[in-house]
Amino acid sequence: MQIYRFLTGEDDSAFCHKVTKALSEGWTLHGSPSYAFDGATMKMRCGQAVTKQVSEQPYDPDKKLVDYV
């Protein structure tokens, strides 16, 4: 089964670390990153989709995606 996450954050090193942590946990980049201006905070925000192949199991929407193995 393949699972999907969309990581978001301000355009700073913390966002890069978030994506790097996901990659180190076996997630792979999916598509291009997104970049947009947040008028409410007056800051740029980034987004990156990641996917991960996990063992076949029933999908449970109450289960955290990071808990799938």
Side-chain angles (χ1 to χ4, degrees):
M1 175 172 82
Q2 187 173 39
I3 55 177
Y4 170 93
R5 291 172 61 194
F6 188 70
L7 306 173
T8 61
E10 287 186 22
D11 180 22
D12 59 13
S13 64
F15 176 75
C16 295
H17 285 283
K18 184 187 292 189
V19 174
T20 300
K21 182 176 186 293
L23 295 173
S24 74
E25 294 172 343
W27 295 83
T28 57
L29 299 177
H30 181 81
S32 299
S34 61
Y35 196 59
F37 181 71
D38 181 348
T41 62
M42 305 300 284
K43 295 183 179 183
M44 294 303 291
R45 298 197 49 88
C46 299
Q48 176 64 59
V50 292
T51 60
K52 185 176 185 181
Q53 196 67 35
V54 296
S55 61
E56 288 300 322
Q57 55 196 286
Y59 173 70
D60 178 359
D62 295 324
K63 187 175 183 177
K64 291 183 180 182
L65 292 175
V66 296
D67 292 337
Y68 279 96
V69 291

mmCIF file of all heavy atoms in Angstrom, residues 8-56:
data_model
loop_
_atom_site.group_PDB
_atom_site.id
_atom_site.type_symbol
_atom_site.label_atom_id
_atom_site.label_comp_id
_atom_site.label_asym_id
_atom_site.label_seq_id
_atom_site.Cartn_x
_atom_site.Cartn_y
_atom_site.Cartn_z
ATOM 1 N N THR A 8 4.056 20.970 4.942
ATOM 2 C CA THR A 8 4.008 22.408 4.716
ATOM 3 C C THR A 8 4.778 23.130 5.814
ATOM 4 O O THR A 8 5.015 22.581 6.891
ATOM 5 C CB THR A 8 2.566 22.944 4.714
ATOM 6 O OG1 THR A 8 1.977 22.699 5.986
ATOM 7 C CG2 THR A 8 1.732 22.290 3.629
ATOM 8 N N GLY A 9 5.148 24.352 5.524
ATOM 9 C CA GLY A 9 5.819 25.163 6.524
ATOM 10 C C GLY A 9 6.316 26.454 5.931
ATOM 11 O O GLY A 9 6.249 26.672 4.716
ATOM 12 N N GLU A 10 6.788 27.332 6.800
ATOM 13 C CA GLU A 10 7.396 28.573 6.343
ATOM 14 C C GLU A 10 8.648 28.254 5.540
ATOM 15 O O GLU A 10 9.270 27.203 5.727
ATOM 16 C CB GLU A 10 7.764 29.458 7.535
ATOM 17 C CG GLU A 10 6.580 30.095 8.204
ATOM 18 C CD GLU A 10 6.998 31.068 9.290
ATOM 19 O OE1 GLU A 10 8.139 31.566 9.279
ATOM 20 O OE2 GLU A 10 6.154 31.339 10.159
ATOM 21 N N ASP A 11 9.019 29.160 4.677
ATOM 22 C CA ASP A 11 10.223 28.999 3.865
ATOM 23 C C ASP A 11 11.448 29.278 4.731
ATOM 24 O O ASP A 11 11.987 30.382 4.746
ATOM 25 C CB ASP A 11 10.163 29.957 2.670
ATOM 26 C CG ASP A 11 11.381 29.838 1.780
ATOM 27 O OD1 ASP A 11 12.050 28.784 1.810
ATOM 28 O OD2 ASP A 11 11.665 30.806 1.042
ATOM 29 N N ASP A 12 11.832 28.269 5.490
ATOM 30 C CA ASP A 12 13.003 28.397 6.363
ATOM 31 C C ASP A 12 13.683 27.039 6.510
ATOM 32 O O ASP A 12 13.236 26.042 5.941
ATOM 33 C CB ASP A 12 12.598 28.969 7.729
ATOM 34 C CG ASP A 12 11.558 28.126 8.461
ATOM 35 O OD1 ASP A 12 11.311 26.967 8.065
ATOM 36 O OD2 ASP A 12 10.982 28.626 9.445
ATOM 37 N N SER A 13 14.738 27.002 7.275
ATOM 38 C CA SER A 13 15.493 25.755 7.422
ATOM 39 C C SER A 13 14.670 24.678 8.124
ATOM 40 O O SER A 13 14.865 23.486 7.880
ATOM 41 C CB SER A 13 16.807 25.992 8.159
ATOM 42 O OG SER A 13 16.563 26.438 9.482
ATOM 43 N N ALA A 14 13.721 25.068 8.973
ATOM 44 C CA ALA A 14 12.888 24.073 9.662
ATOM 45 C C ALA A 14 12.083 23.254 8.655
ATOM 46 O O ALA A 14 11.910 22.043 8.836
ATOM 47 C CB ALA A 14 11.956 24.752 10.661
ATOM 48 N N PHE A 15 11.603 23.902 7.586
ATOM 49 C CA PHE A 15 10.870 23.164 6.559
ATOM 50 C C PHE A 15 11.805 22.175 5.866
ATOM 51 O O PHE A 15 11.444 21.024 5.636
ATOM 52 C CB PHE A 15 10.243 24.109 5.532
ATOM 53 C CG PHE A 15 9.576 23.379 4.410
ATOM 54 C CD1 PHE A 15 8.359 22.758 4.596
ATOM 55 C CD2 PHE A 15 10.172 23.276 3.172
ATOM 56 C CE1 PHE A 15 7.737 22.061 3.571
ATOM 57 C CE2 PHE A 15 9.567 22.583 2.133
ATOM 58 C CZ PHE A 15 8.346 21.977 2.345
ATOM 59 N N CYS A 16 13.004 22.611 5.535
ATOM 60 C CA CYS A 16 13.976 21.714 4.896
ATOM 61 C C CYS A 16 14.292 20.525 5.797
ATOM 62 O O CYS A 16 14.395 19.393 5.328
ATOM 63 C CB CYS A 16 15.246 22.474 4.538
ATOM 64 S SG CYS A 16 14.998 23.755 3.294
ATOM 65 N N HIS A 17 14.412 20.766 7.090
ATOM 66 C CA HIS A 17 14.679 19.674 8.032
ATOM 67 C C HIS A 17 13.489 18.715 8.099
ATOM 68 O O HIS A 17 13.667 17.504 8.210
ATOM 69 C CB HIS A 17 15.005 20.225 9.424
ATOM 70 C CG HIS A 17 16.374 20.813 9.526
ATOM 71 N ND1 HIS A 17 17.509 20.055 9.621
ATOM 72 C CD2 HIS A 17 16.772 22.107 9.519
ATOM 73 C CE1 HIS A 17 18.576 20.843 9.683
ATOM 74 N NE2 HIS A 17 18.147 22.090 9.616
ATOM 75 N N LYS A 18 12.265 19.246 8.013
ATOM 76 C CA LYS A 18 11.065 18.409 8.033
ATOM 77 C C LYS A 18 11.067 17.451 6.839
ATOM 78 O O LYS A 18 10.796 16.261 6.986
ATOM 79 C CB LYS A 18 9.815 19.289 8.000
ATOM 80 C CG LYS A 18 8.510 18.541 8.121
ATOM 81 C CD LYS A 18 7.295 19.449 7.903
ATOM 82 C CE LYS A 18 7.128 20.456 9.000
ATOM 83 N NZ LYS A 18 5.825 21.181 8.892
ATOM 84 N N VAL A 19 11.381 17.984 5.655
ATOM 85 C CA VAL A 19 11.425 17.144 4.457
ATOM 86 C C VAL A 19 12.573 16.145 4.562
ATOM 87 O O VAL A 19 12.407 14.960 4.250
ATOM 88 C CB VAL A 19 11.544 18.001 3.182
ATOM 89 C CG1 VAL A 19 11.740 17.133 1.950
ATOM 90 C CG2 VAL A 19 10.311 18.893 3.017
ATOM 91 N N THR A 20 13.734 16.583 5.016
ATOM 92 C CA THR A 20 14.891 15.699 5.160
ATOM 93 C C THR A 20 14.589 14.567 6.139
ATOM 94 O O THR A 20 14.935 13.407 5.889
ATOM 95 C CB THR A 20 16.125 16.489 5.622
ATOM 96 O OG1 THR A 20 16.413 17.493 4.645
ATOM 97 C CG2 THR A 20 17.333 15.593 5.805
ATOM 98 N N LYS A 21 13.897 14.870 7.237
ATOM 99 C CA LYS A 21 13.528 13.832 8.214
ATOM 100 C C LYS A 21 12.608 12.806 7.559
ATOM 101 O O LYS A 21 12.791 11.595 7.734
ATOM 102 C CB LYS A 21 12.848 14.456 9.429
ATOM 103 C CG LYS A 21 12.474 13.448 10.503
ATOM 104 C CD LYS A 21 11.887 14.156 11.719
ATOM 105 C CE LYS A 21 11.641 13.232 12.875
ATOM 106 N NZ LYS A 21 10.603 12.231 12.650
ATOM 107 N N ALA A 22 11.624 13.270 6.787
ATOM 108 C CA ALA A 22 10.718 12.345 6.108
ATOM 109 C C ALA A 22 11.496 11.442 5.151
ATOM 110 O O ALA A 22 11.261 10.233 5.100
ATOM 111 C CB ALA A 22 9.627 13.116 5.367
ATOM 112 N N LEU A 23 12.419 12.015 4.392
ATOM 113 C CA LEU A 23 13.224 11.219 3.462
ATOM 114 C C LEU A 23 14.050 10.179 4.216
ATOM 115 O O LEU A 23 14.183 9.039 3.765
ATOM 116 C CB LEU A 23 14.124 12.120 2.622
ATOM 117 C CG LEU A 23 13.399 13.081 1.668
ATOM 118 C CD1 LEU A 23 14.404 14.024 1.015
ATOM 119 C CD2 LEU A 23 12.605 12.321 0.627
ATOM 120 N N SER A 24 14.588 10.557 5.369
ATOM 121 C CA SER A 24 15.409 9.617 6.151
ATOM 122 C C SER A 24 14.571 8.485 6.734
ATOM 123 O O SER A 24 15.110 7.445 7.109
ATOM 124 C CB SER A 24 16.160 10.357 7.270
ATOM 125 O OG SER A 24 15.284 10.711 8.321
ATOM 126 N N GLU A 25 13.247 8.692 6.812
ATOM 127 C CA GLU A 25 12.336 7.666 7.340
ATOM 128 C C GLU A 25 11.720 6.818 6.231
ATOM 129 O O GLU A 25 10.787 6.058 6.471
ATOM 130 C CB GLU A 25 11.230 8.338 8.159
ATOM 131 C CG GLU A 25 11.743 9.002 9.421
ATOM 132 C CD GLU A 25 10.689 9.828 10.127
ATOM 133 O OE1 GLU A 25 9.643 10.165 9.516
ATOM 134 O OE2 GLU A 25 10.907 10.151 11.304
ATOM 135 N N GLY A 26 12.227 6.957 5.008
ATOM 136 C CA GLY A 26 11.772 6.106 3.924
ATOM 137 C C GLY A 26 10.732 6.719 3.004
ATOM 138 O O GLY A 26 10.266 6.066 2.073
ATOM 139 N N TRP A 27 10.320 7.954 3.248
ATOM 140 C CA TRP A 27 9.394 8.641 2.359
ATOM 141 C C TRP A 27 10.161 9.096 1.117
ATOM 142 O O TRP A 27 11.363 9.334 1.177
ATOM 143 C CB TRP A 27 8.784 9.856 3.064
ATOM 144 C CG TRP A 27 7.919 9.492 4.234
ATOM 145 C CD1 TRP A 27 8.347 9.226 5.514
ATOM 146 C CD2 TRP A 27 6.506 9.322 4.246
ATOM 147 N NE1 TRP A 27 7.272 8.908 6.315
ATOM 148 C CE2 TRP A 27 6.133 8.965 5.558
ATOM 149 C CE3 TRP A 27 5.523 9.444 3.280
ATOM 150 C CZ2 TRP A 27 4.811 8.724 5.918
ATOM 151 C CZ3 TRP A 27 4.207 9.209 3.639
ATOM 152 C CH2 TRP A 27 3.860 8.849 4.941
ATOM 153 N N THR A 28 9.473 9.216 -0.012
ATOM 154 C CA THR A 28 10.101 9.709 -1.241
ATOM 155 C C THR A 28 9.322 10.920 -1.737
ATOM 156 O O THR A 28 8.111 11.043 -1.518
ATOM 157 C CB THR A 28 10.128 8.632 -2.348
ATOM 158 O OG1 THR A 28 8.798 8.200 -2.607
ATOM 159 C CG2 THR A 28 10.969 7.435 -1.931
ATOM 160 N N LEU A 29 10.042 11.825 -2.404
ATOM 161 C CA LEU A 29 9.408 13.018 -2.946
ATOM 162 C C LEU A 29 8.385 12.621 -4.003
ATOM 163 O O LEU A 29 8.613 11.702 -4.781
ATOM 164 C CB LEU A 29 10.457 13.938 -3.567
ATOM 165 C CG LEU A 29 11.540 14.463 -2.628
ATOM 166 C CD1 LEU A 29 12.541 15.291 -3.410
ATOM 167 C CD2 LEU A 29 10.936 15.279 -1.496
ATOM 168 N N HIS A 30 7.282 13.328 -4.040
ATOM 169 C CA HIS A 30 6.239 13.074 -5.023
ATOM 170 C C HIS A 30 5.879 14.413 -5.667
ATOM 171 O O HIS A 30 5.279 15.282 -5.022
ATOM 172 C CB HIS A 30 5.015 12.457 -4.349
ATOM 173 C CG HIS A 30 3.909 12.147 -5.303
ATOM 174 N ND1 HIS A 30 3.909 11.013 -6.072
ATOM 175 C CD2 HIS A 30 2.781 12.821 -5.622
ATOM 176 C CE1 HIS A 30 2.816 11.000 -6.814
ATOM 177 N NE2 HIS A 30 2.118 12.096 -6.568
ATOM 178 N N GLY A 31 6.288 14.594 -6.909
ATOM 179 C CA GLY A 31 6.000 15.846 -7.593
ATOM 180 C C GLY A 31 6.926 16.962 -7.173
ATOM 181 O O GLY A 31 7.875 16.777 -6.414
ATOM 182 N N SER A 32 6.625 18.130 -7.684
ATOM 183 C CA SER A 32 7.442 19.314 -7.419
ATOM 184 C C SER A 32 6.981 20.005 -6.139
ATOM 185 O O SER A 32 5.812 19.919 -5.767
ATOM 186 C CB SER A 32 7.318 20.298 -8.580
ATOM 187 O OG SER A 32 7.772 19.718 -9.774
ATOM 188 N N PRO A 33 7.887 20.726 -5.495
ATOM 189 C CA PRO A 33 7.487 21.495 -4.324
ATOM 190 C C PRO A 33 6.603 22.670 -4.746
ATOM 191 O O PRO A 33 6.635 23.098 -5.894
ATOM 192 C CB PRO A 33 8.816 21.978 -3.737
ATOM 193 C CG PRO A 33 9.769 21.956 -4.870
ATOM 194 C CD PRO A 33 9.317 20.863 -5.783
ATOM 195 N N SER A 34 5.824 23.163 -3.817
ATOM 196 C CA SER A 34 5.021 24.353 -4.078
ATOM 197 C C SER A 34 5.531 25.494 -3.199
ATOM 198 O O SER A 34 6.152 25.265 -2.157
ATOM 199 C CB SER A 34 3.541 24.086 -3.810
ATOM 200 O OG SER A 34 3.331 23.740 -2.457
ATOM 201 N N TYR A 35 5.263 26.703 -3.630
ATOM 202 C CA TYR A 35 5.788 27.874 -2.971
ATOM 203 C C TYR A 35 4.746 28.975 -3.130
ATOM 204 O O TYR A 35 4.345 29.285 -4.252
ATOM 205 C CB TYR A 35 7.101 28.255 -3.658
ATOM 206 C CG TYR A 35 8.012 29.201 -2.948
ATOM 207 C CD1 TYR A 35 8.519 28.912 -1.694
ATOM 208 C CD2 TYR A 35 8.399 30.383 -3.553
ATOM 209 C CE1 TYR A 35 9.380 29.775 -1.063
ATOM 210 C CE2 TYR A 35 9.269 31.255 -2.929
ATOM 211 C CZ TYR A 35 9.755 30.949 -1.676
ATOM 212 O OH TYR A 35 10.608 31.812 -1.051
ATOM 213 N N ALA A 36 4.261 29.547 -2.041
ATOM 214 C CA ALA A 36 3.204 30.550 -2.132
ATOM 215 C C ALA A 36 3.334 31.575 -1.012
ATOM 216 O O ALA A 36 3.867 31.285 0.063
ATOM 217 C CB ALA A 36 1.845 29.873 -2.044
ATOM 218 N N PHE A 37 2.813 32.749 -1.281
ATOM 219 C CA PHE A 37 2.812 33.819 -0.294
ATOM 220 C C PHE A 37 1.571 33.696 0.573
ATOM 221 O O PHE A 37 0.454 33.570 0.071
ATOM 222 C CB PHE A 37 2.842 35.184 -0.989
ATOM 223 C CG PHE A 37 2.868 36.341 -0.045
ATOM 224 C CD1 PHE A 37 3.993 36.613 0.706
ATOM 225 C CD2 PHE A 37 1.756 37.149 0.111
ATOM 226 C CE1 PHE A 37 4.026 37.674 1.587
ATOM 227 C CE2 PHE A 37 1.767 38.218 0.988
ATOM 228 C CZ PHE A 37 2.907 38.482 1.724
ATOM 229 N N ASP A 38 1.758 33.729 1.892
ATOM 230 C CA ASP A 38 0.659 33.674 2.853
ATOM 231 C C ASP A 38 0.364 35.110 3.298
ATOM 232 O O ASP A 38 1.121 35.695 4.076
ATOM 233 C CB ASP A 38 1.050 32.790 4.039
ATOM 234 C CG ASP A 38 -0.041 32.653 5.084
ATOM 235 O OD1 ASP A 38 -1.037 33.402 5.035
ATOM 236 O OD2 ASP A 38 0.099 31.776 5.952
ATOM 237 N N GLY A 39 -0.711 35.676 2.781
ATOM 238 C CA GLY A 39 -1.047 37.059 3.091
ATOM 239 C C GLY A 39 -1.387 37.289 4.550
ATOM 240 O O GLY A 39 -1.219 38.390 5.063
ATOM 241 N N ALA A 40 -1.872 36.264 5.245
ATOM 242 C CA ALA A 40 -2.226 36.412 6.657
ATOM 243 C C ALA A 40 -0.988 36.606 7.528
ATOM 244 O O ALA A 40 -1.010 37.391 8.482
ATOM 245 C CB ALA A 40 -3.018 35.200 7.129
ATOM 246 N N THR A 41 0.087 35.897 7.198
ATOM 247 C CA THR A 41 1.317 36.009 7.991
ATOM 248 C C THR A 41 2.383 36.857 7.300
ATOM 249 O O THR A 41 3.405 37.150 7.905
ATOM 250 C CB THR A 41 1.912 34.614 8.265
ATOM 251 O OG1 THR A 41 2.262 34.005 7.013
ATOM 252 C CG2 THR A 41 0.935 33.730 9.012
ATOM 253 N N MET A 42 2.108 37.214 6.029
ATOM 254 C CA MET A 42 3.054 38.008 5.236
ATOM 255 C C MET A 42 4.387 37.278 5.047
ATOM 256 O O MET A 42 5.449 37.884 5.021
ATOM 257 C CB MET A 42 3.289 39.398 5.853
ATOM 258 C CG MET A 42 2.002 40.183 6.078
ATOM 259 S SD MET A 42 1.080 40.475 4.562
ATOM 260 C CE MET A 42 2.032 41.750 3.824
ATOM 261 N N LYS A 43 4.324 35.945 4.935
ATOM 262 C CA LYS A 43 5.528 35.127 4.761
ATOM 263 C C LYS A 43 5.317 34.153 3.614
ATOM 264 O O LYS A 43 4.188 33.816 3.271
ATOM 265 C CB LYS A 43 5.848 34.352 6.035
ATOM 266 C CG LYS A 43 6.210 35.239 7.198
ATOM 267 C CD LYS A 43 6.576 34.428 8.409
ATOM 268 C CE LYS A 43 6.956 35.377 9.549
ATOM 269 N NZ LYS A 43 7.377 34.673 10.735
ATOM 270 N N MET A 44 6.405 33.689 3.050
ATOM 271 C CA MET A 44 6.353 32.649 2.025
ATOM 272 C C MET A 44 6.208 31.300 2.713
ATOM 273 O O MET A 44 6.780 31.065 3.778
ATOM 274 C CB MET A 44 7.612 32.669 1.163
ATOM 275 C CG MET A 44 7.764 33.923 0.318
ATOM 276 S SD MET A 44 6.387 34.246 -0.794
ATOM 277 C CE MET A 44 6.560 32.924 -1.976
ATOM 278 N N ARG A 45 5.419 30.416 2.102
ATOM 279 C CA ARG A 45 5.217 29.068 2.627
ATOM 280 C C ARG A 45 5.577 28.057 1.552
ATOM 281 O O ARG A 45 5.382 28.305 0.366
ATOM 282 C CB ARG A 45 3.774 28.878 3.079
ATOM 283 C CG ARG A 45 3.447 29.847 4.222
ATOM 284 C CD ARG A 45 2.228 29.505 5.012
ATOM 285 N NE ARG A 45 2.097 28.159 5.484
ATOM 286 C CZ ARG A 45 2.568 27.687 6.639
ATOM 287 N NH1 ARG A 45 3.275 28.448 7.429
ATOM 288 N NH2 ARG A 45 2.340 26.448 6.989
ATOM 289 N N CYS A 46 6.088 26.914 2.003
ATOM 290 C CA CYS A 46 6.498 25.828 1.106
ATOM 291 C C CYS A 46 5.607 24.619 1.359
ATOM 292 O O CYS A 46 5.077 24.440 2.453
ATOM 293 C CB CYS A 46 7.940 25.421 1.376
ATOM 294 S SG CYS A 46 9.136 26.721 1.137
ATOM 295 N N GLY A 47 5.520 23.775 0.347
ATOM 296 C CA GLY A 47 4.815 22.514 0.483
ATOM 297 C C GLY A 47 5.504 21.455 -0.367
ATOM 298 O O GLY A 47 6.042 21.768 -1.432
ATOM 299 N N GLN A 48 5.516 20.225 0.114
ATOM 300 C CA GLN A 48 6.111 19.119 -0.627
ATOM 301 C C GLN A 48 5.353 17.849 -0.312
ATOM 302 O O GLN A 48 5.186 17.487 0.852
ATOM 303 C CB GLN A 48 7.592 18.937 -0.264
ATOM 304 C CG GLN A 48 8.251 17.747 -0.917
ATOM 305 C CD GLN A 48 8.306 17.859 -2.441
ATOM 306 O OE1 GLN A 48 8.886 18.798 -2.953
ATOM 307 N NE2 GLN A 48 7.708 16.920 -3.144
ATOM 308 N N ALA A 49 4.871 17.197 -1.357
ATOM 309 C CA ALA A 49 4.211 15.906 -1.180
ATOM 310 C C ALA A 49 5.269 14.810 -1.082
ATOM 311 O O ALA A 49 6.301 14.869 -1.760
ATOM 312 C CB ALA A 49 3.281 15.628 -2.351
ATOM 313 N N VAL A 50 5.010 13.831 -0.224
ATOM 314 C CA VAL A 50 5.881 12.669 -0.091
ATOM 315 C C VAL A 50 5.004 11.419 -0.030
ATOM 316 O O VAL A 50 3.863 11.468 0.423
ATOM 317 C CB VAL A 50 6.792 12.748 1.161
ATOM 318 C CG1 VAL A 50 7.818 13.856 1.030
ATOM 319 C CG2 VAL A 50 5.988 12.939 2.438
ATOM 320 N N THR A 51 5.538 10.319 -0.493
ATOM 321 C CA THR A 51 4.830 9.034 -0.445
ATOM 322 C C THR A 51 5.749 7.983 0.149
ATOM 323 O O THR A 51 6.973 8.145 0.182
ATOM 324 C CB THR A 51 4.364 8.575 -1.842
ATOM 325 O OG1 THR A 51 5.500 8.427 -2.684
ATOM 326 C CG2 THR A 51 3.376 9.553 -2.448
ATOM 327 N N LYS A 52 5.126 6.904 0.609
ATOM 328 C CA LYS A 52 5.900 5.801 1.186
ATOM 329 C C LYS A 52 5.169 4.495 0.904
ATOM 330 O O LYS A 52 3.948 4.415 1.053
ATOM 331 C CB LYS A 52 6.036 6.001 2.694
ATOM 332 C CG LYS A 52 6.910 4.981 3.394
ATOM 333 C CD LYS A 52 7.043 5.342 4.863
ATOM 334 C CE LYS A 52 7.979 4.441 5.593
ATOM 335 N NZ LYS A 52 8.089 4.796 7.021
ATOM 336 N N GLN A 53 5.918 3.502 0.482
ATOM 337 C CA GLN A 53 5.367 2.162 0.278
ATOM 338 C C GLN A 53 5.421 1.424 1.609
ATOM 339 O O GLN A 53 6.482 1.347 2.234
ATOM 340 C CB GLN A 53 6.176 1.421 -0.791
ATOM 341 C CG GLN A 53 5.499 0.213 -1.345
ATOM 342 C CD GLN A 53 4.251 0.551 -2.151
ATOM 343 O OE1 GLN A 53 4.186 1.560 -2.820
ATOM 344 N NE2 GLN A 53 3.265 -0.307 -2.072
ATOM 345 N N VAL A 54 4.281 0.918 2.066
ATOM 346 C CA VAL A 54 4.210 0.175 3.328
ATOM 347 C C VAL A 54 3.600 -1.188 3.062
ATOM 348 O O VAL A 54 3.042 -1.435 1.991
ATOM 349 C CB VAL A 54 3.398 0.944 4.400
ATOM 350 C CG1 VAL A 54 4.081 2.247 4.756
ATOM 351 C CG2 VAL A 54 1.972 1.176 3.961
ATOM 352 N N SER A 55 3.684 -2.071 4.044
ATOM 353 C CA SER A 55 3.115 -3.410 3.876
ATOM 354 C C SER A 55 1.602 -3.310 3.678
ATOM 355 O O SER A 55 0.955 -2.374 4.154
ATOM 356 C CB SER A 55 3.439 -4.280 5.086
ATOM 357 O OG SER A 55 2.882 -3.721 6.255
ATOM 358 N N GLU A 56 1.068 -4.298 2.946
ATOM 359 C CA GLU A 56 -0.373 -4.322 2.720
ATOM 360 C C GLU A 56 -1.085 -4.498 4.056
ATOM 361 O O GLU A 56 -0.759 -5.394 4.824
ATOM 362 C CB GLU A 56 -0.740 -5.445 1.752
ATOM 363 C CG GLU A 56 -0.326 -5.164 0.328
ATOM 364 C CD GLU A 56 -0.959 -3.899 -0.254
ATOM 365 O OE1 GLU A 56 -2.137 -3.616 0.028
ATOM 366 O OE2 GLU A 56 -0.259 -3.200 -0.995
#
